[in-house]
Amino acid sequence: MLSMGLWGTEPRYIRRARAYLEEARMAMLEHSMAAEHYQASADMYAERARRLEQEIATWEAKRNGVEVMEPVHEAPPAKHAAHGRLEPSRKHALPKEKASVGIVRAA
């Protein structure tokens, strides 16, 4: 049955379909934002694991009497990608200062 109220001649199921479409678009946007957040977290932890593995390997090599050259610490700065996400860039290197290490606890 067609409704002739405020919505004109649109059938009720079309109005519901439009509402479901809007809901689906909002869910897609929310999940896209969450995926970007989780990808950034995964990238951060992958870099952290790489640094820790390198630190342990250097320590083990020194312990075994192997002469080890200190690694060059190059952390790529971020650049904007075409689609608005941040991606690493190898253009600039960080200053060659020894970084301090600390523990940060979330509340």
Side-chain angles (χ1 to χ4, degrees), residues 9 17 19 51 56 59 72 74-75 80 82 90 93-94 100 103 106:
T9 59
R51 285 192 325 265
I56 291 168
W59 179 84
V72 177
E74 285 191 26
H80 290 282
R90 298 249 179 223
L94 291 178
S100 64
I103 297 175

Side-chain angles (χ1 to χ4, degrees), residues 3-89:
S3 172
M4 297 300 285
L6 296 173
W7 304 101
T9 59
E10 267 187 359
R12 180 180 294 159
Y13 73 92
I14 294 295
R15 290 194 312 267
R16 283 185 186 158
R18 288 184 194 280
Y20 295 150
L21 175 62
E22 184 64 25
E23 183 180 321
R25 286 181 176 159
M26 288 302 295
M28 179 184 66
L29 177 63
E30 290 170 358
H31 285 276
S32 295
M33 290 168 40
E36 287 180 14
H37 168 76
Y38 286 119
Q39 184 61 51
S41 294
D43 293 344
M44 178 192 69
Y45 284 116
E47 177 61 22
R48 181 179 182 198
R50 186 198 61 76
R51 285 192 325 265
L52 291 170
E53 288 169 348
Q54 183 178 14
E55 184 177 334
I56 291 168
T58 301
W59 179 84
E60 288 175 343
K62 286 180 181 178
R63 183 187 65 183
N64 294 330
V66 177
E67 188 175 326
V68 178
M69 291 180 57
E70 290 298 321
V72 177
H73 296 284
E74 285 191 26
K79 69 174 183 177
H80 290 282
H83 55 285
R85 282 188 21 178
L86 292 176
E87 292 185 355
S89 169

